[in-house]
Amino acid sequence: MDQYEPDRLSPAEAAAVRHGFRRGRAALPRRSVLRASAGGALAVGGLGALSACGIPAAGKTQGGVSADDHSAKEKVVDFSNWPEYIDTDESGKHRPTLDAFGKRTGIQVKYTEDINDNDEFFGKIQPQLAAGQSTGRDLIVLTDWLAARMIRLGYVQKLDASHLPHAFANLSDQFRNPDWDPGRAYSYPWQGISTVIAYNKKALNGVEVKSVSDLLDNPKLKGRVGFLTELRDSVGMTMLDMGKDPAKFTDDDFDAVIARLQKAVDRGQIRRFTGNDYTSDLTKGDFAACIAWAGDIVQLQADSSDVGYVVPDAGYMTSTDNLLIPNKARHKTNAERLIDYYYEPEPAAELAAYINYVSPVAGVKPYLAKIDKSAADNPLIVPDKAMQARSHAFRSLSSKEETAYQQKFAKLTGA
């Protein structure tokens, strides 16, 4: 295998991708579509440590390849992001935080919404990166599993900490040390993504739901429970319920989770595994309760008083979408200034008020309260320390693990 060739999808993984396309991306709230693309079934490329292909394991890469930095003379940043993932004014023509950054620094942000899913975007830029060429981008946003791969491949540049004083000081402890980028040497979170339990009060009709065990075992919920087609969320939440740590689990632990979920499938307890289309099932009451993404719940609650959520005592899963500077970026320093800007509380609050994902910026709450007090008081957007302490991340997987686990999960979900 060529040193820079990305790992190929197994048949089971490819089926999971097709399954995600079939069942997701319906006419849903914009953040739901975004989350499904960013970290749903499309994540089957996984966090594989590609050492078998001669690629350095995570933490051992020597970093990316820089180019001559033209930041001083060229006041520009080429920034690629996902659609609808930044604050926009009512006209839809202006992005207030980017405009303010430009006025303050004189740096023009060329903002492009050209990341529609992780795998597709990786396929677009990988040939250029493998050939040692510029992608034409200074800053990109990728979900944690692909960010890990990019770091491992040596496709992104190490950040200059001297350009990131606000980011270093204000990054929430919850996101400081992912196993794929300890200390955030190569990445900073754009936003956090939490996985919790959601429910429809009317559909529950008095049935209490506090845990994944309630979803899997309460006969009153038979046929009215939903789980996600995203392995890391469904398996991770079940693993926590079983007293296992998603950051340290073994093959036996994973198999025990699959066996438990399989029993629920066989009994008809789980209605189906879904992509982001679970929001429709939940609001209609076809799902009395389900595994859900917090960003969706914030939006759904704005439209329906029947929708609620629970953070299990066992904990919940968290992941991130991340800012990275690819190799041969022409304006690295300018990109770092933009990263640092979004770790100042004021622009971070403006962004959080619009997006409603988890802000990675500590101290954002009082600034957000000036814009939207309900958002500032919502732990799905600004988790307090107690909630942060209950968050868990799914550990990095080797290429072998990724293939084996996805095959087992695909068999479970019918992908």
Side-chain angles (χ1 to χ4, degrees):
M1 179 183 288
D2 183 86
Q3 181 178 5
Y4 294 106
E5 184 177 355
D7 43 345
R8 294 182 175 85
L9 300 183
S10 69
E13 292 169 344
V17 171
R18 293 192 296 271
H19 181 70
F21 274 122
R22 287 196 305 270
R23 307 191 76 166
R25 305 182 69 84
L28 296 165
R30 59 191 174 87
R31 298 181 188 98
S32 181
V33 174
L34 170 69
R35 177 61 183 95
S37 300
L42 295 173
V44 296
L47 290 165
L50 307 180
S51 55
C53 303
I55 295 168
K60 297 181 181 179
T61 179
Q62 296 301 307
V65 180
S66 62
D68 290 337
D69 192 346
H70 297 265
S71 294
K73 295 182 178 180
E74 299 177 4
K75 296 296 185 179
V76 66
V77 176
D78 289 286
F79 183 10
S80 284
N81 203 350
W82 299 77
E84 307 283 355
Y85 210 17
I86 200 167
D87 54 305
T88 306
D89 70 1
E90 292 185 3
S91 73
K93 297 179 180 179
H94 300 283
R95 301 179 178 96
T97 56
L98 288 183
D99 291 345
F101 175 78
K103 289 179 181 178
R104 182 203 296 182
T105 64
I107 298 170
Q108 178 189 2
V109 181
K110 296 182 179 179
Y111 187 80
T112 308
E113 296 179 332
D114 62 345
I115 305 177
N116 293 305
D117 74 70
N118 286 286
D119 278 320
E120 178 186 60
F121 187 71
F122 181 75
K124 183 188 300 183
I125 64 175
Q126 190 271 341
Q128 296 164 304
L129 292 167
Q133 300 171 352
S134 170
T135 65
R137 299 169 177 86
D138 300 307
L139 194 60
I140 57 179
V141 177
L142 299 176
T143 307
D144 47 15
W145 63 266
L146 183 53
R149 179 188 290 178
M150 293 283 285
I151 293 169
R152 187 160 42 248
L153 290 169
Y155 283 170
V156 296
Q157 298 185 55
K158 193 169 186 177
L159 301 172
D160 186 336
S162 70
H163 297 157
L164 298 161
H166 295 99
F168 180 81
N170 295 336
L171 175 60
S172 170
D173 289 343
Q174 183 180 7
F175 302 117
R176 279 195 180 271
N177 286 295
D179 66 352
W180 48 271
D181 187 17
R184 292 290 181 177
Y186 297 89
S187 69
Y188 269 89
W190 176 247
Q191 296 290 285
I193 305 162
S194 299
T195 304
V196 296
I197 294 173
Y199 59 82
N200 183 306
K201 297 175 188 176
K202 187 178 294 185
L204 282 180
N205 194 27
V207 177
E208 190 173 58
V209 172
K210 291 185 175 181
S211 67
V212 172
S213 287
D214 291 332
L215 299 183
L216 295 176
D217 300 331
N218 190 330
K220 293 181 180 179
L221 299 179
K222 183 177 180 179
R224 299 190 296 139
V225 168
F227 274 69
L228 294 168
T229 51
E230 165 51 31
L231 181 153
R232 289 165 179 80
D233 290 319
S234 288
V235 170
M237 290 291 285
T238 307
M239 196 172 284
L240 288 170
D241 188 73
M242 296 172 68
K244 301 295 183 179
D245 186 350
K248 300 178 181 178
F249 67 89
T250 65
D251 288 348
D252 288 342
D253 294 332
F254 183 87
D255 289 344
V257 170
I258 295 298
R260 187 177 186 201
L261 291 171
Q262 188 65 60
K263 287 181 181 178
V265 169
D266 294 343
R267 293 197 316 270
Q269 184 77 8
I270 297 176
R271 183 182 183 93
R272 67 187 184 108
F273 290 81
T274 71
N276 54 284
D277 48 331
Y278 74 86
T279 55
S280 176
D281 290 294
L282 182 63
T283 54
K284 290 189 299 184
D286 291 341
F287 285 163
C290 61
I291 303 298
W293 293 308
D296 292 338
I297 304 310
V298 174
Q299 271 214 325
L300 293 177
Q301 286 184 318
D303 298 325
S304 174
S305 60
D306 289 331
V307 175
Y309 73 93
V310 171
V311 179
D313 289 341
Y316 66 100
M317 297 303 297
T318 190
S319 56
T320 51
D321 288 328
N322 306 275
L323 296 154
L324 305 107
I325 298 176
N327 285 356
K328 295 298 185 83
R330 188 175 175 89
H331 311 104
K332 181 174 185 285
T333 297
N334 290 345
E336 289 168 336
R337 291 184 68 181
L338 184 58
I339 294 172
D340 196 59
Y341 167 75
Y342 276 106
Y343 275 81
E344 295 179 25
E346 293 93 338
E350 290 186 57
L351 184 64
Y354 187 84
I355 295 178
N356 291 164
Y357 272 74
V358 178
S359 174
V361 179
V364 74
K365 185 171 182 176
Y367 297 89
L368 181 56
K370 295 176 181 179
I371 303 170
D372 185 343
K373 190 175 186 305
S374 64
D377 292 336
N378 191 331
L380 297 183
I381 300 174
V382 186
D384 58 23
K385 289 185 177 180
M387 185 165 175
Q388 289 182 24
R390 294 157 69 186
S391 72
H392 298 264
F394 206 87
R395 71 168 172 82
S396 299
L397 301 179
S398 70
S399 183
K400 181 179 179 181
E401 286 175 326
E402 181 71 37
T403 298
Y405 293 170
Q406 189 61 57
Q407 286 176 341
K408 294 173 181 179
F409 189 69
K411 182 178 180 181
L412 169 74
T413 63

